[in-house]
mmCIF file of all heavy atoms in Angstrom:
data_model
loop_
_atom_site.group_PDB
_atom_site.id
_atom_site.type_symbol
_atom_site.label_atom_id
_atom_site.label_comp_id
_atom_site.label_asym_id
_atom_site.label_seq_id
_atom_site.Cartn_x
_atom_site.Cartn_y
_atom_site.Cartn_z
ATOM 1 N N SER Z 1 1.108 -6.222 19.610
ATOM 2 C CA SER Z 1 -0.336 -5.927 19.435
ATOM 3 C C SER Z 1 -0.824 -4.864 20.387
ATOM 4 O O SER Z 1 -1.834 -4.196 20.042
ATOM 5 C CB SER Z 1 -1.113 -7.194 19.593
ATOM 6 O OG SER Z 1 -1.012 -7.706 20.920
ATOM 7 N N SER Z 2 -0.177 -4.551 21.470
ATOM 8 C CA SER Z 2 -0.775 -3.653 22.417
ATOM 9 C C SER Z 2 0.187 -2.536 23.020
ATOM 10 O O SER Z 2 -0.360 -1.657 23.674
ATOM 11 C CB SER Z 2 -1.322 -4.396 23.584
ATOM 12 O OG SER Z 2 -0.333 -5.152 24.321
ATOM 13 N N TYR Z 3 1.447 -2.566 22.630
ATOM 14 C CA TYR Z 3 2.311 -1.499 23.167
ATOM 15 C C TYR Z 3 2.225 -0.316 22.200
ATOM 16 O O TYR Z 3 1.858 -0.480 20.984
ATOM 17 C CB TYR Z 3 3.773 -1.980 23.192
ATOM 18 C CG TYR Z 3 4.072 -2.797 24.432
ATOM 19 C CD1 TYR Z 3 3.123 -3.614 25.055
ATOM 20 C CD2 TYR Z 3 5.344 -2.817 24.938
ATOM 21 C CE1 TYR Z 3 3.431 -4.323 26.232
ATOM 22 C CE2 TYR Z 3 5.689 -3.569 26.063
ATOM 23 C CZ TYR Z 3 4.666 -4.327 26.630
ATOM 24 O OH TYR Z 3 5.029 -5.031 27.803
ATOM 25 N N PRO Z 4 2.627 0.849 22.620
ATOM 26 C CA PRO Z 4 2.590 2.070 21.810
ATOM 27 C C PRO Z 4 3.585 1.905 20.600
ATOM 28 O O PRO Z 4 4.531 1.117 20.699
ATOM 29 C CB PRO Z 4 3.094 3.191 22.720
ATOM 30 C CG PRO Z 4 2.871 2.672 24.100
ATOM 31 C CD PRO Z 4 3.013 1.216 24.029
ATOM 32 N N ASP Z 5 3.301 2.640 19.524
ATOM 33 C CA ASP Z 5 4.090 2.526 18.326
ATOM 34 C C ASP Z 5 5.616 2.706 18.593
ATOM 35 O O ASP Z 5 6.429 1.967 17.950
ATOM 36 C CB ASP Z 5 3.685 3.614 17.321
ATOM 37 C CG ASP Z 5 2.330 3.282 16.743
ATOM 38 O OD1 ASP Z 5 1.851 2.075 16.739
ATOM 39 O OD2 ASP Z 5 1.629 4.187 16.236
ATOM 40 N N GLY Z 6 6.026 3.517 19.421
ATOM 41 C CA GLY Z 6 7.374 3.784 19.720
ATOM 42 C C GLY Z 6 8.210 2.605 20.272
ATOM 43 O O GLY Z 6 9.428 2.578 20.176
ATOM 44 N N VAL Z 7 7.524 1.683 20.895
ATOM 45 C CA VAL Z 7 8.239 0.546 21.498
ATOM 46 C C VAL Z 7 7.783 -0.797 20.894
ATOM 47 O O VAL Z 7 8.297 -1.862 21.330
ATOM 48 C CB VAL Z 7 8.133 0.504 23.048
ATOM 49 C CG1 VAL Z 7 8.813 1.651 23.664
ATOM 50 C CG2 VAL Z 7 6.666 0.491 23.486
ATOM 51 N N ARG Z 8 6.848 -0.773 20.047
ATOM 52 C CA ARG Z 8 6.269 -2.005 19.442
ATOM 53 C C ARG Z 8 7.386 -2.881 18.749
ATOM 54 O O ARG Z 8 7.318 -4.072 18.810
ATOM 55 C CB ARG Z 8 5.154 -1.603 18.450
ATOM 56 C CG ARG Z 8 4.350 -2.733 17.894
ATOM 57 C CD ARG Z 8 3.196 -2.215 17.125
ATOM 58 N NE ARG Z 8 2.285 -1.694 18.111
ATOM 59 C CZ ARG Z 8 1.276 -0.950 17.847
ATOM 60 N NH1 ARG Z 8 1.032 -0.625 16.574
ATOM 61 N NH2 ARG Z 8 0.479 -0.481 18.774
ATOM 62 N N HIS Z 9 8.331 -2.175 18.165
ATOM 63 C CA HIS Z 9 9.448 -2.881 17.487
ATOM 64 C C HIS Z 9 10.187 -3.788 18.404
ATOM 65 O O HIS Z 9 10.739 -4.803 17.930
ATOM 66 C CB HIS Z 9 10.423 -1.884 16.905
ATOM 67 C CG HIS Z 9 11.174 -1.073 17.919
ATOM 68 N ND1 HIS Z 9 12.378 -1.394 18.408
ATOM 69 C CD2 HIS Z 9 10.878 0.121 18.584
ATOM 70 C CE1 HIS Z 9 12.758 -0.593 19.370
ATOM 71 N NE2 HIS Z 9 11.865 0.340 19.444
ATOM 72 N N GLN Z 10 10.164 -3.567 19.708
ATOM 73 C CA GLN Z 10 10.896 -4.399 20.596
ATOM 74 C C GLN Z 10 10.253 -5.864 20.636
ATOM 75 O O GLN Z 10 11.009 -6.813 20.770
ATOM 76 C CB GLN Z 10 10.816 -3.849 22.028
ATOM 77 C CG GLN Z 10 11.656 -2.600 22.144
ATOM 78 C CD GLN Z 10 11.541 -1.930 23.482
ATOM 79 O OE1 GLN Z 10 10.751 -2.354 24.351
ATOM 80 N NE2 GLN Z 10 12.413 -0.961 23.717
ATOM 81 N N GLY Z 11 8.940 -5.941 20.404
ATOM 82 C CA GLY Z 11 8.348 -7.304 20.287
ATOM 83 C C GLY Z 11 8.851 -8.035 19.140
ATOM 84 O O GLY Z 11 9.189 -9.256 19.239
ATOM 85 N N TYR Z 12 8.986 -7.338 17.965
ATOM 86 C CA TYR Z 12 9.588 -7.981 16.767
ATOM 87 C C TYR Z 12 11.064 -8.385 17.029
ATOM 88 O O TYR Z 12 11.461 -9.467 16.561
ATOM 89 C CB TYR Z 12 9.526 -7.082 15.597
ATOM 90 C CG TYR Z 12 8.113 -6.823 15.000
ATOM 91 C CD1 TYR Z 12 7.530 -5.595 15.082
ATOM 92 C CD2 TYR Z 12 7.422 -7.915 14.506
ATOM 93 C CE1 TYR Z 12 6.244 -5.446 14.564
ATOM 94 C CE2 TYR Z 12 6.167 -7.736 13.981
ATOM 95 C CZ TYR Z 12 5.564 -6.504 14.053
ATOM 96 O OH TYR Z 12 4.299 -6.327 13.550
ATOM 97 N N GLU Z 13 11.781 -7.598 17.735
ATOM 98 C CA GLU Z 13 13.195 -7.881 18.019
ATOM 99 C C GLU Z 13 13.334 -9.093 18.885
ATOM 100 O O GLU Z 13 14.172 -9.994 18.686
ATOM 101 C CB GLU Z 13 13.889 -6.641 18.643
ATOM 102 C CG GLU Z 13 14.012 -5.471 17.704
ATOM 103 C CD GLU Z 13 14.470 -4.206 18.378
ATOM 104 O OE1 GLU Z 13 14.807 -4.282 19.604
ATOM 105 O OE2 GLU Z 13 14.580 -3.239 17.689
ATOM 106 N N ILE Z 14 12.465 -9.239 19.936
ATOM 107 C CA ILE Z 14 12.466 -10.450 20.784
ATOM 108 C C ILE Z 14 12.165 -11.641 19.939
ATOM 109 O O ILE Z 14 12.877 -12.669 20.004
ATOM 110 C CB ILE Z 14 11.434 -10.253 21.901
ATOM 111 C CG1 ILE Z 14 11.868 -9.182 22.903
ATOM 112 C CG2 ILE Z 14 11.177 -11.628 22.494
ATOM 113 C CD1 ILE Z 14 10.812 -8.915 23.920
ATOM 114 N N TYR Z 15 11.153 -11.566 19.045
ATOM 115 C CA TYR Z 15 10.786 -12.707 18.307
ATOM 116 C C TYR Z 15 11.934 -13.109 17.335
ATOM 117 O O TYR Z 15 12.155 -14.296 17.059
ATOM 118 C CB TYR Z 15 9.432 -12.459 17.545
ATOM 119 C CG TYR Z 15 8.856 -13.657 16.909
ATOM 120 C CD1 TYR Z 15 8.451 -14.736 17.653
ATOM 121 C CD2 TYR Z 15 8.750 -13.764 15.478
ATOM 122 C CE1 TYR Z 15 7.867 -15.885 17.112
ATOM 123 C CE2 TYR Z 15 8.202 -14.888 14.940
ATOM 124 C CZ TYR Z 15 7.824 -15.938 15.702
ATOM 125 O OH TYR Z 15 7.312 -17.049 15.148
ATOM 126 N N GLU Z 16 12.523 -12.114 16.638
ATOM 127 C CA GLU Z 16 13.551 -12.438 15.660
ATOM 128 C C GLU Z 16 14.757 -13.060 16.324
ATOM 129 O O GLU Z 16 15.531 -13.798 15.611
ATOM 130 C CB GLU Z 16 13.911 -11.186 14.883
ATOM 131 C CG GLU Z 16 12.843 -10.681 14.014
ATOM 132 C CD GLU Z 16 12.988 -9.295 13.397
ATOM 133 O OE1 GLU Z 16 14.060 -8.636 13.771
ATOM 134 O OE2 GLU Z 16 12.090 -8.861 12.665
ATOM 135 N N GLN Z 17 14.986 -12.845 17.533
ATOM 136 C CA GLN Z 17 16.195 -13.362 18.253
ATOM 137 C C GLN Z 17 15.958 -14.879 18.689
ATOM 138 O O GLN Z 17 16.944 -15.534 18.990
ATOM 139 C CB GLN Z 17 16.556 -12.611 19.488
ATOM 140 C CG GLN Z 17 17.080 -11.219 19.114
ATOM 141 C CD GLN Z 17 17.375 -10.430 20.339
ATOM 142 O OE1 GLN Z 17 17.359 -10.914 21.437
ATOM 143 N NE2 GLN Z 17 17.678 -9.111 20.153
ATOM 144 N N LEU Z 18 14.738 -15.354 18.644
ATOM 145 C CA LEU Z 18 14.437 -16.718 19.034
ATOM 146 C C LEU Z 18 14.922 -17.653 17.943
ATOM 147 O O LEU Z 18 14.784 -17.413 16.742
ATOM 148 C CB LEU Z 18 12.907 -16.958 19.213
ATOM 149 C CG LEU Z 18 12.315 -16.118 20.343
ATOM 150 C CD1 LEU Z 18 10.815 -16.316 20.343
ATOM 151 C CD2 LEU Z 18 12.926 -16.521 21.673
ATOM 152 N N GLN Z 19 15.482 -18.782 18.299
ATOM 153 C CA GLN Z 19 15.957 -19.759 17.366
ATOM 154 C C GLN Z 19 14.821 -20.566 16.774
ATOM 155 O O GLN Z 19 14.876 -21.094 15.617
ATOM 156 C CB GLN Z 19 16.961 -20.690 17.989
ATOM 157 C CG GLN Z 19 18.318 -19.954 18.349
ATOM 158 C CD GLN Z 19 19.314 -20.875 18.892
ATOM 159 O OE1 GLN Z 19 19.073 -22.077 19.145
ATOM 160 N NE2 GLN Z 19 20.542 -20.354 19.082
ATOM 161 N N VAL Z 20 13.697 -20.716 17.537
ATOM 162 C CA VAL Z 20 12.570 -21.483 17.089
ATOM 163 C C VAL Z 20 11.411 -20.552 17.279
ATOM 164 O O VAL Z 20 11.148 -20.026 18.373
ATOM 165 C CB VAL Z 20 12.395 -22.715 17.948
ATOM 166 C CG1 VAL Z 20 11.173 -23.474 17.588
ATOM 167 C CG2 VAL Z 20 13.631 -23.639 17.792
ATOM 168 N N GLY Z 21 10.540 -20.439 16.220
ATOM 169 C CA GLY Z 21 9.403 -19.579 16.284
ATOM 170 C C GLY Z 21 8.102 -20.328 16.537
ATOM 171 O O GLY Z 21 8.093 -21.552 16.726
ATOM 172 N N ALA Z 22 7.018 -19.617 16.521
ATOM 173 C CA ALA Z 22 5.696 -20.205 16.811
ATOM 174 C C ALA Z 22 5.339 -21.245 15.766
ATOM 175 O O ALA Z 22 4.564 -22.146 16.117
ATOM 176 C CB ALA Z 22 4.686 -19.043 16.833
ATOM 177 N N GLU Z 23 5.850 -21.187 14.614
ATOM 178 C CA GLU Z 23 5.508 -22.138 13.598
ATOM 179 C C GLU Z 23 5.987 -23.638 13.927
ATOM 180 O O GLU Z 23 5.543 -24.563 13.344
ATOM 181 C CB GLU Z 23 6.087 -21.760 12.219
ATOM 182 C CG GLU Z 23 7.582 -21.947 12.084
ATOM 183 C CD GLU Z 23 8.459 -20.936 12.774
ATOM 184 O OE1 GLU Z 23 7.921 -19.866 13.196
ATOM 185 O OE2 GLU Z 23 9.698 -21.080 12.870
ATOM 186 N N ALA Z 24 6.908 -23.675 14.911
ATOM 187 C CA ALA Z 24 7.324 -24.985 15.328
ATOM 188 C C ALA Z 24 6.346 -25.731 16.149
ATOM 189 O O ALA Z 24 6.493 -27.003 16.337
ATOM 190 C CB ALA Z 24 8.683 -24.867 16.118
ATOM 191 N N CYS Z 25 5.296 -25.062 16.617
ATOM 192 C CA CYS Z 25 4.278 -25.815 17.455
ATOM 193 C C CYS Z 25 3.559 -26.777 16.546
ATOM 194 O O CYS Z 25 3.051 -26.480 15.487
ATOM 195 C CB CYS Z 25 3.260 -24.725 17.999
ATOM 196 S SG CYS Z 25 1.900 -25.491 18.772
ATOM 197 N N VAL Z 26 3.510 -28.032 17.019
ATOM 198 C CA VAL Z 26 2.775 -29.038 16.238
ATOM 199 C C VAL Z 26 1.437 -29.413 16.883
ATOM 200 O O VAL Z 26 0.806 -30.472 16.530
ATOM 201 C CB VAL Z 26 3.669 -30.388 16.170
ATOM 202 C CG1 VAL Z 26 4.831 -30.013 15.268
ATOM 203 C CG2 VAL Z 26 4.027 -30.925 17.449
#
């Protein structure tokens, strides 16, 4: 949400590597 376009993809990469995502929060 706040990094420049050139590095924003790294946030998606971090999230995609997680075995459990935010949807697991109950």
Side-chain angles (χ1 to χ4, degrees):
S1 65
S2 61
Y3 280 30
D5 290 338
V7 292
R8 189 170 289 165
H9 66 91
Q10 292 176 350
Y12 289 116
E13 290 171 5
I14 289 171
Y15 190 65
E16 290 169 359
Q17 291 178 11
L18 298 174
Q19 292 183 356
V20 178
E23 74 283 350
C25 174
V26 295

